[in-house]
Amino acid sequence: MSNKIELKSISELSGMKFFIPDYQRGYRWTKELVKDLLDDIDEFIKKKQGGFYCIQPLVVKKNIIESEEYCKKLKELSHEDNNLIERTEKLIDEYSQWEVIDGQQRLTTIFILLKYLCSDKENKYSIEYETRKDSSIFLEKIDETQKGKNIDYHHIYEANLKISKWFEGKEDYKKEFLETLLKNVKFIWYESVNEDPIKVFTRLNIGKISLTNSELIKALFLNKSNFKTSDLQRIRLQQQEIASEWDKIEYRLQSDEFWLFLNEKGYDKPTRIDFILDLICEKNTLKLKEEYNTIGDDEYRTFRYFYAWFKKEEKPNITECWGKIKTIFQTFNEWFNDLELYHYIGFLVEQGDKTTNILEKWEEKGTKQQFVQYYIKDRINNKLEKCYNLEQEYDSEGKPQKTQCRPLLLLHNIQTVINQGKELIKNEKYKLPVFYKFPFHLFKNEVWNIEHIASNTDNSLENE
């Protein structure tokens, strides 16, 4: 079975039993982090934009507590009951405990917040700790006299104190805040199915590889319930195909030679397919309507965009959606393998043009020749206007700015490579368009300069 992913409101967690295993550290949120969460929800309420406020992923694994009572009730279920599956699922849920792999700090903070805002148990869940079993009792009754007993109690007490101080003078606001918290604040609920929870925890925490938009979106694509067919064999084949193509795209994007002709340095996400997914979200390629205005603008915006599309229909057309991702990647691949497109687009990106804007113009194009002639070369001319300026620029010390001619020198290098490539293609010995590439990845990583043209140290160019 594949991992399950959905959005769960805080009210949907009511009655659930959560378990914090011993491989996790205790509660460590500071007063500043608690305040940040309260301020974020407060800002969401005041914007009055509708939609929901999204909390980072809560990664869990379902464990059944097989007690004598559970086994007895399971045997009592009649196989002749028309609602056997539904009743079995309810029984499993009743005797299940959710092992928290990642997200326990926010889960505990929300629990403390709920306890402060409402006295009834209707809106609450329970948290049990494997290492410090008394912590769950302290959570239910936060006692100042016990706060020094251990470090967990100290942080729980401080979080509760911060919450009470934050609501000072806001008595009338508590009801609205609670209603929003229950209905409009949602966790990204990520259920790990056939994975070792300790390995998942190690990857997410010790390895510091967070659950990225791409991993969450990949789980949507591979979720069995999102496929139109009920044929399990066909679903497995489609899942394998998407997973394989996904990995190939990511592998290709991880090549700096490919990546740095499309992007500048400094991309800090661990996976690079996020770049294509972000493009689709930014351009609203999936044509979301009113849902598009309520997906927010935080780091999980792209995931929520795809989630909204998947939930828009009962059985979404996964092939169509995946096809749009592949089309963008294939376009980048076409650019990379074309003598002129690779070099001219690489030049424009290095000069600050966004790949998104170039892609939009490409999609509007007639032929490749028209695209190069009427968009690419016009953009290059615009970039060179500064070089044509006869007035010399000077730095703060009054020295001439040699970097003023940098774009022109770069283009000269690039055009030389293009001309050499065209000569190779003309040569009868080369049946396929074999050409040398200007190495944008080295140019950006090694920070090439123009010292070889005019050194700062000697041989200054005094004579025209």
Side-chain angles (χ1 to χ4, degrees):
M1 288 178 67
S2 56
N3 296 328
K4 298 176 183 176
I5 188 165
E6 60 183 313
L7 292 170
K8 274 192 188 293
S9 65
I10 302 302
S11 63
E12 289 178 278
L13 304 184
S14 177
M16 286 187 168
K17 299 167 189 172
F18 292 98
F19 173 73
I20 311 298
D22 59 4
Y23 56 77
Q24 295 235 24
R25 66 174 183 163
Y27 182 67
R28 295 294 182 272
W29 257 31
T30 62
K31 292 181 287 185
E32 291 73 26
L33 289 171
V34 174
K35 181 181 180 298
D36 288 344
L37 177 63
L38 293 168
D39 287 345
D40 284 349
I41 298 173
D42 178 54
E43 185 183 353
F44 169 78
I45 294 170
K46 287 174 178 173
K47 281 183 178 177
K48 296 187 182 298
Q49 293 179 336
F52 55 88
Y53 173 81
C54 193
I55 299 183
Q56 289 185 337
L58 181 61
V59 184
V60 295
K61 185 176 178 64
K62 193 175 195 176
N63 297 322
I64 301 172
I65 306 165
E66 296 190 10
S67 62
E68 287 184 20
E69 188 180 3
Y70 167 76
C71 294
K72 183 182 175 183
K73 286 186 177 182
L74 192 63
K75 287 178 181 177
E76 288 173 357
L77 290 175
S78 171
H79 291 281
E80 296 174 4
D81 190 340
N82 292 332
N83 298 321
L84 178 63
I85 295 175
E86 185 181 338
R87 290 182 63 195
T88 304
E89 287 177 350
K90 280 186 178 180
L91 183 64
I92 290 171
D93 286 341
E94 185 183 344
Y95 286 87
S96 287
Q97 197 176 47
W98 294 97
E99 181 177 341
V100 179
I101 300 171
D102 194 46
Q104 68 129 331
Q105 305 292 333
R106 282 180 178 79
L107 186 71
T108 304
T109 305
I110 295 290
F111 181 92
I112 299 168
L113 183 54
L114 283 172
K115 184 181 178 303
Y116 175 82
L117 291 172
C118 55
S119 56
D120 62 323
K121 292 188 176 181
E122 183 183 341
N123 296 314
K124 294 179 186 173
Y125 44 86
S126 65
I127 304 178
E128 184 185 326
Y129 299 83
E130 186 171 9
T131 7
R132 298 191 178 109
K133 296 186 182 296
D134 291 344
S135 291
S136 55
I137 299 170
F138 187 80
L139 266 177
E140 290 291 346
K141 188 179 179 181
I142 299 173
D143 183 355
E144 185 178 2
T145 63
Q146 297 291 312
K147 68 175 183 177
K149 191 174 178 181
N150 63 52
I151 191 67
D152 283 7
Y153 289 11
H154 168 77
H155 283 291
I156 290 169
Y157 174 80
E158 289 295 325
N160 186 61
L161 185 62
K162 186 66 191 177
I163 290 168
S164 62
K165 285 185 176 180
W166 193 90
F167 278 101
E168 281 180 3
K170 302 175 184 175
E171 288 299 319
D172 296 338
Y173 186 45
K174 286 182 181 178
K175 184 179 178 183
E176 183 182 0
F177 195 97
L178 176 61
E179 286 176 355
T180 302
L181 178 65
L182 291 171
K183 296 177 184 176
N184 302 104
V185 175
K186 299 186 179 186
F187 272 109
I188 297 174
W189 178 270
Y190 188 97
E191 185 183 341
S192 176
V193 180
N194 291 323
E195 296 178 294
D196 181 345
I198 296 179
K199 285 184 179 178
V200 177
F201 172 81
T202 303
R203 179 171 61 83
L204 294 176
N205 292 274
I206 298 173
K208 297 299 180 189
I209 302 173
S210 62
L211 209 52
T212 63
N213 276 298
S214 66
E215 191 165 357
L216 294 168
I217 293 166
K218 186 178 183 180
L220 289 175
F221 273 103
L222 300 181
N223 192 329
K224 184 177 70 175
S225 62
N226 285 330
F227 287 86
K228 286 189 172 183
T229 179
S230 57
D231 185 337
L232 291 178
Q233 186 175 359
R234 191 174 170 191
I235 288 173
R236 278 196 293 271
L237 286 172
Q238 286 182 278
Q239 287 172 327
Q240 288 169 3
E241 183 180 354
I242 290 173
S244 173
E245 290 175 338
W246 186 290
D247 291 343
K248 285 177 183 175
I249 291 173
E250 179 62 36
Y251 180 78
R252 186 73 169 121
L253 291 171
Q254 285 295 335
S255 162
D256 276 354
E257 184 182 5
F258 187 88
W259 178 255
L260 288 175
F261 107 89
L262 289 168
N263 294 278
E264 287 303 312
K265 284 198 309 178
Y267 190 83
D268 58 357
K269 295 180 182 178
T271 50
R272 288 179 173 176
I273 196 171
D274 290 84
F275 174 60
I276 295 177
L277 303 174
D278 290 344
L279 280 178
I280 289 174
C281 174
E282 186 181 336
K283 294 167 67 211
N284 192 13
T285 306
L286 300 176
K287 308 296 181 192
L288 291 184
K289 294 179 182 175
E290 61 275 4
E291 304 97 333
Y292 189 69
N293 300 317
T294 60
I295 58 171
D297 56 3
D298 61 22
E299 62 178 308
Y300 287 105
R301 168 183 166 84
T302 300
F303 159 70
R304 290 204 305 281
Y305 174 80
F306 278 88
Y307 184 84
W309 182 84
F310 270 89
K311 296 303 171 186
K312 190 177 64 169
E313 302 175 35
E314 188 178 339
K315 291 291 183 180
N317 190 335
I318 289 180
T319 306
E320 177 190 347
C321 184
W322 178 240
K324 293 185 184 300
I325 295 171
K326 287 202 299 182
T327 297
I328 292 176
F329 172 72
Q330 287 161 358
T331 297
F332 293 158
N333 219 32
E334 181 179 348
W335 293 352
F336 183 80
N337 291 319
D338 184 276
L339 176 62
E340 288 189 322
L341 292 175
Y342 167 81
H343 288 100
Y344 290 147
I345 289 172
F347 173 79
L348 289 176
V349 170
E350 200 280 333
Q351 292 298 305
D353 275 19
K354 298 291 183 187
T355 307
T356 316
N357 299 335
I358 299 172
L359 186 63
E360 282 178 1
K361 292 296 180 183
W362 171 264
E363 289 168 351
E364 294 170 6
K365 73 179 176 70
T367 64
K368 176 206 151 186
Q369 287 72 23
Q370 290 171 329
F371 174 71
V372 171
Q373 187 63 43
Y374 299 111
Y375 175 71
I376 292 291
K377 290 189 175 179
D378 281 351
R379 288 296 299 158
I380 290 174
N381 278 330
N382 291 337
K383 297 291 179 185
L384 296 180
E385 279 181 3
K386 194 174 180 181
C387 301
Y388 302 148
N389 190 343
L390 297 178
E391 292 184 16
Q392 174 70 58
E393 290 186 0
Y394 296 88
D395 61 21
S396 57
E397 298 176 359
K399 295 179 180 178
Q401 285 274 50
K402 292 186 293 183
T403 53
Q404 189 175 345
C405 65
R406 181 184 172 93
L408 188 60
L409 295 173
L410 173 60
L411 185 63
H412 182 275
N413 280 181
I414 286 171
Q415 192 60 52
T416 301
V417 175
I418 291 173
N419 293 342
Q420 289 172 344
K422 286 181 177 178
E423 287 301 314
L424 280 174
I425 292 169
K426 284 180 188 176
N427 193 320
E428 291 296 321
K429 194 162 85 174
Y430 298 97
K431 300 298 181 186
L432 293 173
V434 179
F435 62 88
Y436 296 121
K437 282 185 166 77
F438 179 84
F440 286 105
H441 59 301
L442 299 180
F443 178 73
K444 293 175 181 179
N445 282 327
E446 297 177 3
V447 196
W448 294 0
N449 56 38
I450 58 172
E451 283 294 295
H452 64 291
I453 300 293
S455 171
N456 275 326
T457 53
D458 57 7
N459 299 326
S460 59
L461 301 176
E462 296 174 356
N463 188 295
E464 288 189 15

Short mmCIF file of all heavy atoms in Angstrom, two decimals, residues 102-148:
data_model
loop_
_atom_site.label_atom_id
_atom_site.label_comp_id
_atom_site.label_asym_id
_atom_site.label_seq_id
_atom_site.Cartn_x
_atom_site.Cartn_y
_atom_site.Cartn_z
N ASP A 102 6.78 12.57 13.07
CA ASP A 102 7.25 13.96 12.95
C ASP A 102 6.07 14.90 13.17
O ASP A 102 4.96 14.63 12.72
CB ASP A 102 7.86 14.20 11.56
CG ASP A 102 8.64 15.50 11.51
OD1 ASP A 102 9.43 15.75 12.44
OD2 ASP A 102 8.47 16.27 10.55
N GLY A 103 6.31 16.00 13.89
CA GLY A 103 5.26 17.00 14.12
C GLY A 103 4.76 17.05 15.55
O GLY A 103 3.77 17.73 15.83
N GLN A 104 5.44 16.33 16.48
CA GLN A 104 4.93 16.27 17.85
C GLN A 104 4.98 17.62 18.55
O GLN A 104 4.16 17.91 19.41
CB GLN A 104 5.69 15.22 18.68
CG GLN A 104 7.14 15.56 18.97
CD GLN A 104 7.49 15.45 20.45
OE1 GLN A 104 6.64 15.64 21.30
NE2 GLN A 104 8.75 15.15 20.74
N GLN A 105 5.93 18.52 18.17
CA GLN A 105 6.02 19.82 18.84
C GLN A 105 4.77 20.65 18.60
O GLN A 105 4.18 21.22 19.52
CB GLN A 105 7.28 20.57 18.36
CG GLN A 105 8.59 19.80 18.50
CD GLN A 105 9.01 19.60 19.95
OE1 GLN A 105 8.67 20.37 20.83
NE2 GLN A 105 9.74 18.52 20.21
N ARG A 106 4.33 20.70 17.33
CA ARG A 106 3.11 21.45 17.00
C ARG A 106 1.88 20.75 17.58
O ARG A 106 0.95 21.41 18.04
CB ARG A 106 2.99 21.61 15.49
CG ARG A 106 3.89 22.68 14.93
CD ARG A 106 3.73 22.81 13.41
NE ARG A 106 4.58 23.88 12.91
CZ ARG A 106 5.90 23.77 12.71
NH1 ARG A 106 6.49 22.63 12.97
NH2 ARG A 106 6.60 24.79 12.26
N LEU A 107 1.86 19.43 17.50
CA LEU A 107 0.72 18.68 18.03
C LEU A 107 0.54 18.94 19.52
O LEU A 107 -0.59 19.16 20.00
CB LEU A 107 0.93 17.18 17.78
CG LEU A 107 -0.24 16.26 18.13
CD1 LEU A 107 -1.39 16.44 17.14
CD2 LEU A 107 0.20 14.80 18.14
N THR A 108 1.64 18.97 20.28
CA THR A 108 1.58 19.22 21.72
C THR A 108 1.16 20.67 21.98
O THR A 108 0.35 20.94 22.88
CB THR A 108 2.94 18.94 22.37
OG1 THR A 108 3.34 17.59 22.07
CG2 THR A 108 2.88 19.11 23.87
N THR A 109 1.68 21.61 21.20
CA THR A 109 1.34 23.03 21.38
C THR A 109 -0.16 23.26 21.12
O THR A 109 -0.82 23.98 21.88
CB THR A 109 2.18 23.92 20.44
OG1 THR A 109 3.57 23.66 20.66
CG2 THR A 109 1.91 25.40 20.70
N ILE A 110 -0.68 22.63 20.06
CA ILE A 110 -2.12 22.75 19.76
C ILE A 110 -2.94 22.16 20.91
O ILE A 110 -3.98 22.71 21.29
CB ILE A 110 -2.47 22.04 18.43
CG1 ILE A 110 -1.77 22.72 17.25
CG2 ILE A 110 -3.98 22.01 18.21
CD1 ILE A 110 -2.28 24.08 16.88
N PHE A 111 -2.47 21.06 21.49
CA PHE A 111 -3.16 20.45 22.62
C PHE A 111 -3.23 21.43 23.80
O PHE A 111 -4.29 21.61 24.43
CB PHE A 111 -2.45 19.17 23.07
CG PHE A 111 -3.11 18.46 24.21
CD1 PHE A 111 -4.05 17.46 23.98
CD2 PHE A 111 -2.83 18.79 25.53
CE1 PHE A 111 -4.68 16.81 25.03
CE2 PHE A 111 -3.46 18.16 26.60
CZ PHE A 111 -4.39 17.17 26.34
N ILE A 112 -2.10 22.07 24.12
CA ILE A 112 -2.06 23.04 25.22
C ILE A 112 -3.01 24.21 24.92
O ILE A 112 -3.72 24.69 25.81
CB ILE A 112 -0.62 23.56 25.44
CG1 ILE A 112 0.31 22.39 25.82
CG2 ILE A 112 -0.57 24.63 26.52
CD1 ILE A 112 1.80 22.74 25.77
N LEU A 113 -3.03 24.63 23.66
CA LEU A 113 -3.90 25.75 23.24
C LEU A 113 -5.38 25.37 23.38
O LEU A 113 -6.19 26.16 23.88
CB LEU A 113 -3.56 26.12 21.79
CG LEU A 113 -4.29 27.31 21.16
CD1 LEU A 113 -4.15 28.57 22.00
CD2 LEU A 113 -3.74 27.55 19.75
N LEU A 114 -5.72 24.15 22.96
CA LEU A 114 -7.11 23.68 23.09
C LEU A 114 -7.52 23.61 24.56
O LEU A 114 -8.63 23.97 24.93
CB LEU A 114 -7.27 22.30 22.45
CG LEU A 114 -7.36 22.24 20.92
CD1 LEU A 114 -7.31 20.79 20.44
CD2 LEU A 114 -8.63 22.91 20.42
N LYS A 115 -6.61 23.11 25.40
CA LYS A 115 -6.91 22.98 26.83
C LYS A 115 -7.18 24.36 27.44
O LYS A 115 -8.04 24.52 28.30
CB LYS A 115 -5.74 22.30 27.54
CG LYS A 115 -6.00 22.04 29.01
CD LYS A 115 -4.81 21.40 29.67
CE LYS A 115 -5.09 21.21 31.16
NZ LYS A 115 -5.42 22.46 31.86
N TYR A 116 -6.44 25.36 26.98
CA TYR A 116 -6.62 26.72 27.50
C TYR A 116 -7.96 27.32 27.04
O TYR A 116 -8.64 28.00 27.80
CB TYR A 116 -5.47 27.62 27.06
CG TYR A 116 -5.64 29.06 27.47
CD1 TYR A 116 -5.32 29.49 28.75
CD2 TYR A 116 -6.17 29.99 26.57
CE1 TYR A 116 -5.49 30.81 29.14
CE2 TYR A 116 -6.36 31.32 26.94
CZ TYR A 116 -6.03 31.72 28.23
OH TYR A 116 -6.22 33.03 28.60
N LEU A 117 -8.33 27.04 25.76
CA LEU A 117 -9.50 27.71 25.18
C LEU A 117 -10.83 27.01 25.47
O LEU A 117 -11.88 27.63 25.39
CB LEU A 117 -9.32 27.83 23.66
CG LEU A 117 -8.24 28.81 23.19
CD1 LEU A 117 -8.02 28.69 21.69
CD2 LEU A 117 -8.62 30.25 23.55
N CYS A 118 -10.80 25.71 25.74
CA CYS A 118 -12.08 25.02 26.00
C CYS A 118 -11.91 23.99 27.11
O CYS A 118 -10.90 23.29 27.15
CB CYS A 118 -12.64 24.38 24.74
SG CYS A 118 -11.52 23.25 23.91
N SER A 119 -12.92 23.87 27.93
CA SER A 119 -12.83 22.97 29.08
C SER A 119 -13.32 21.56 28.76
O SER A 119 -12.93 20.59 29.38
CB SER A 119 -13.64 23.53 30.25
OG SER A 119 -14.98 23.77 29.84
N ASP A 120 -14.20 21.45 27.76
CA ASP A 120 -14.78 20.13 27.45
C ASP A 120 -13.78 19.25 26.72
O ASP A 120 -12.82 19.73 26.13
CB ASP A 120 -16.04 20.29 26.61
CG ASP A 120 -15.75 20.95 25.26
OD1 ASP A 120 -14.90 21.86 25.24
OD2 ASP A 120 -16.35 20.55 24.26
N LYS A 121 -14.01 17.94 26.77
CA LYS A 121 -13.12 16.98 26.11
C LYS A 121 -13.52 16.71 24.66
O LYS A 121 -12.83 16.01 23.94
CB LYS A 121 -13.11 15.66 26.89
CG LYS A 121 -12.43 15.78 28.25
CD LYS A 121 -12.27 14.40 28.88
CE LYS A 121 -11.51 14.51 30.19
NZ LYS A 121 -11.32 13.18 30.82
N GLU A 122 -14.64 17.28 24.26
CA GLU A 122 -15.20 16.99 22.94
C GLU A 122 -14.22 17.35 21.82
O GLU A 122 -14.12 16.67 20.82
CB GLU A 122 -16.50 17.78 22.76
CG GLU A 122 -17.20 17.49 21.45
CD GLU A 122 -18.45 18.34 21.28
OE1 GLU A 122 -18.96 18.88 22.29
OE2 GLU A 122 -18.91 18.46 20.14
N ASN A 123 -13.50 18.43 21.99
CA ASN A 123 -12.62 18.91 20.93
C ASN A 123 -11.17 18.48 21.10
O ASN A 123 -10.29 19.03 20.45
CB ASN A 123 -12.69 20.45 20.86
CG ASN A 123 -14.06 20.93 20.47
OD1 ASN A 123 -14.67 20.40 19.54
ND2 ASN A 123 -14.58 21.91 21.19
N LYS A 124 -10.93 17.54 21.98
CA LYS A 124 -9.54 17.20 22.30
C LYS A 124 -9.14 15.80 21.83
O LYS A 124 -9.98 14.94 21.60
CB LYS A 124 -9.30 17.33 23.80
CG LYS A 124 -9.42 18.75 24.33
CD LYS A 124 -9.20 18.77 25.82
CE LYS A 124 -9.47 20.16 26.39
NZ LYS A 124 -9.43 20.17 27.85
N TYR A 125 -7.84 15.62 21.74
CA TYR A 125 -7.25 14.30 21.48
C TYR A 125 -6.37 13.99 22.69
O TYR A 125 -6.23 14.82 23.60
CB TYR A 125 -6.45 14.31 20.18
CG TYR A 125 -5.57 15.52 19.99
CD1 TYR A 125 -4.28 15.57 20.51
CD2 TYR A 125 -6.02 16.64 19.27
CE1 TYR A 125 -3.46 16.68 20.33
CE2 TYR A 125 -5.21 17.77 19.09
CZ TYR A 125 -3.93 17.77 19.62
OH TYR A 125 -3.14 18.87 19.45
N SER A 126 -5.77 12.83 22.71
CA SER A 126 -4.88 12.49 23.84
C SER A 126 -3.47 12.22 23.32
O SER A 126 -3.28 11.81 22.17
CB SER A 126 -5.41 11.26 24.58
OG SER A 126 -5.38 10.12 23.75
N ILE A 127 -2.50 12.50 24.17
CA ILE A 127 -1.10 12.25 23.83
C ILE A 127 -0.47 11.42 24.94
O ILE A 127 -0.55 11.78 26.12
CB ILE A 127 -0.30 13.56 23.66
CG1 ILE A 127 -0.96 14.47 22.61
CG2 ILE A 127 1.14 13.26 23.26
CD1 ILE A 127 -0.25 15.81 22.43
N GLU A 128 0.15 10.31 24.56
CA GLU A 128 0.84 9.45 25.52
C GLU A 128 2.32 9.40 25.15
O GLU A 128 2.67 9.39 23.97
CB GLU A 128 0.24 8.04 25.46
CG GLU A 128 0.81 7.08 26.48
CD GLU A 128 0.26 5.67 26.30
OE1 GLU A 128 -0.92 5.53 25.90
OE2 GLU A 128 1.01 4.72 26.54
N TYR A 129 3.19 9.40 26.16
CA TYR A 129 4.64 9.42 25.93
C TYR A 129 5.25 8.11 26.41
O TYR A 129 4.95 7.65 27.50
CB TYR A 129 5.28 10.59 26.67
CG TYR A 129 4.77 11.94 26.21
CD1 TYR A 129 3.59 12.46 26.73
CD2 TYR A 129 5.46 12.69 25.26
CE1 TYR A 129 3.10 13.69 26.31
CE2 TYR A 129 4.99 13.92 24.83
CZ TYR A 129 3.81 14.42 25.36
OH TYR A 129 3.34 15.62 24.93
N GLU A 130 6.13 7.53 25.59
CA GLU A 130 6.75 6.26 25.96
C GLU A 130 7.80 6.46 27.05
O GLU A 130 7.92 5.63 27.94
CB GLU A 130 7.39 5.60 24.72
CG GLU A 130 7.92 4.22 25.01
CD GLU A 130 8.36 3.48 23.76
OE1 GLU A 130 8.42 4.09 22.68
OE2 GLU A 130 8.63 2.27 23.87
N THR A 131 8.55 7.57 26.96
CA THR A 131 9.65 7.75 27.92
C THR A 131 9.18 8.33 29.25
O THR A 131 9.43 7.76 30.29
CB THR A 131 10.73 8.70 27.37
OG1 THR A 131 10.31 9.25 26.15
CG2 THR A 131 12.01 8.03 27.16
N ARG A 132 8.51 9.48 29.20
CA ARG A 132 8.02 10.11 30.43
C ARG A 132 6.51 9.99 30.48
O ARG A 132 5.78 10.87 30.03
CB ARG A 132 8.46 11.57 30.47
CG ARG A 132 9.98 11.73 30.49
CD ARG A 132 10.36 13.17 30.80
NE ARG A 132 11.81 13.30 30.86
CZ ARG A 132 12.53 13.92 29.94
NH1 ARG A 132 11.94 14.44 28.89
NH2 ARG A 132 13.84 14.00 30.07
N LYS A 133 6.03 8.87 31.00
CA LYS A 133 4.60 8.57 30.97
C LYS A 133 3.77 9.60 31.74
O LYS A 133 2.61 9.83 31.41
CB LYS A 133 4.35 7.16 31.53
CG LYS A 133 4.99 6.06 30.67
CD LYS A 133 4.60 4.69 31.16
CE LYS A 133 5.28 3.60 30.33
NZ LYS A 133 4.87 3.60 28.93
N ASP A 134 4.37 10.23 32.76
CA ASP A 134 3.63 11.22 33.55
C ASP A 134 3.38 12.52 32.79
O ASP A 134 2.57 13.35 33.24
CB ASP A 134 4.40 11.54 34.85
CG ASP A 134 4.41 10.36 35.80
OD1 ASP A 134 3.59 9.44 35.60
OD2 ASP A 134 5.23 10.35 36.74
N SER A 135 4.07 12.71 31.65
CA SER A 135 3.91 13.96 30.90
C SER A 135 2.47 14.15 30.43
O SER A 135 1.97 15.28 30.37
CB SER A 135 4.85 13.98 29.70
OG SER A 135 6.19 14.09 30.12
N SER A 136 1.79 13.05 30.08
CA SER A 136 0.39 13.17 29.63
C SER A 136 -0.51 13.65 30.77
O SER A 136 -1.46 14.40 30.55
CB SER A 136 -0.11 11.83 29.08
OG SER A 136 0.07 10.81 30.02
N ILE A 137 -0.18 13.24 32.01
CA ILE A 137 -0.95 13.70 33.18
C ILE A 137 -0.67 15.19 33.42
O ILE A 137 -1.59 15.97 33.68
CB ILE A 137 -0.56 12.89 34.44
CG1 ILE A 137 -0.88 11.40 34.21
CG2 ILE A 137 -1.27 13.42 35.68
CD1 ILE A 137 -0.32 10.49 35.29
N PHE A 138 0.61 15.59 33.28
CA PHE A 138 0.97 17.00 33.46
C PHE A 138 0.31 17.88 32.41
O PHE A 138 -0.09 19.01 32.69
CB PHE A 138 2.49 17.15 33.41
CG PHE A 138 2.97 18.54 33.74
CD1 PHE A 138 3.06 18.97 35.06
CD2 PHE A 138 3.33 19.43 32.74
CE1 PHE A 138 3.49 20.25 35.37
CE2 PHE A 138 3.75 20.71 33.03
CZ PHE A 138 3.83 21.13 34.35
N LEU A 139 0.17 17.36 31.18
CA LEU A 139 -0.50 18.11 30.11
C LEU A 139 -1.95 18.41 30.49
O LEU A 139 -2.47 19.49 30.19
CB LEU A 139 -0.46 17.31 28.79
CG LEU A 139 0.66 17.60 27.81
CD1 LEU A 139 0.55 16.65 26.63
CD2 LEU A 139 0.65 19.03 27.32
N GLU A 140 -2.61 17.42 31.08
CA GLU A 140 -4.02 17.59 31.46
C GLU A 140 -4.17 18.58 32.62
O GLU A 140 -5.13 19.33 32.68
CB GLU A 140 -4.62 16.23 31.86
CG GLU A 140 -4.82 15.27 30.70
CD GLU A 140 -5.90 15.72 29.74
OE1 GLU A 140 -6.69 16.63 30.08
OE2 GLU A 140 -5.97 15.16 28.63
N LYS A 141 -3.20 18.58 33.53
CA LYS A 141 -3.26 19.49 34.67
C LYS A 141 -1.88 20.11 34.86
O LYS A 141 -1.01 19.56 35.53
CB LYS A 141 -3.68 18.73 35.94
CG LYS A 141 -3.94 19.66 37.11
CD LYS A 141 -4.38 18.88 38.34
CE LYS A 141 -4.61 19.84 39.51
NZ LYS A 141 -5.03 19.11 40.74
N ILE A 142 -1.68 21.27 34.19
CA ILE A 142 -0.38 21.93 34.23
C ILE A 142 -0.21 22.63 35.58
O ILE A 142 -0.91 23.60 35.89
CB ILE A 142 -0.25 22.93 33.06
CG1 ILE A 142 -0.37 22.16 31.72
CG2 ILE A 142 1.07 23.68 33.12
CD1 ILE A 142 -0.44 23.04 30.50
N ASP A 143 0.71 22.11 36.38
CA ASP A 143 0.89 22.54 37.76
C ASP A 143 2.23 23.27 37.91
O ASP A 143 3.29 22.70 37.66
CB ASP A 143 0.86 21.30 38.68
CG ASP A 143 0.96 21.65 40.14
OD1 ASP A 143 1.14 22.84 40.47
OD2 ASP A 143 0.86 20.72 40.97
N GLU A 144 2.16 24.54 38.34
CA GLU A 144 3.38 25.35 38.46
C GLU A 144 4.37 24.74 39.45
O GLU A 144 5.59 24.83 39.25
CB GLU A 144 3.02 26.77 38.89
CG GLU A 144 4.22 27.71 38.92
CD GLU A 144 3.86 29.13 39.31
OE1 GLU A 144 2.67 29.39 39.60
OE2 GLU A 144 4.76 29.98 39.32
N THR A 145 3.86 24.11 40.49
CA THR A 145 4.75 23.54 41.51
C THR A 145 5.58 22.36 40.99
O THR A 145 6.58 21.98 41.59
CB THR A 145 3.94 23.08 42.74
OG1 THR A 145 3.04 22.02 42.34
CG2 THR A 145 3.15 24.23 43.33
N GLN A 146 5.12 21.78 39.85
CA GLN A 146 5.81 20.60 39.30
C GLN A 146 6.68 20.94 38.09
O GLN A 146 7.34 20.06 37.54
CB GLN A 146 4.77 19.55 38.86
CG GLN A 146 3.91 19.00 39.99
CD GLN A 146 4.71 18.13 40.93
OE1 GLN A 146 5.46 17.25 40.50
NE2 GLN A 146 4.58 18.39 42.23
N LYS A 147 6.71 22.22 37.70
CA LYS A 147 7.38 22.59 36.43
C LYS A 147 8.89 22.31 36.43
O LYS A 147 9.50 22.14 35.37
CB LYS A 147 7.13 24.05 36.10
CG LYS A 147 7.80 25.04 37.04
CD LYS A 147 7.59 26.47 36.57
CE LYS A 147 8.34 27.45 37.48
NZ LYS A 147 8.22 28.82 37.02
N GLY A 148 9.50 22.25 37.63
CA GLY A 148 10.93 22.00 37.69
C GLY A 148 11.29 20.53 37.76
O GLY A 148 12.47 20.18 37.83
#
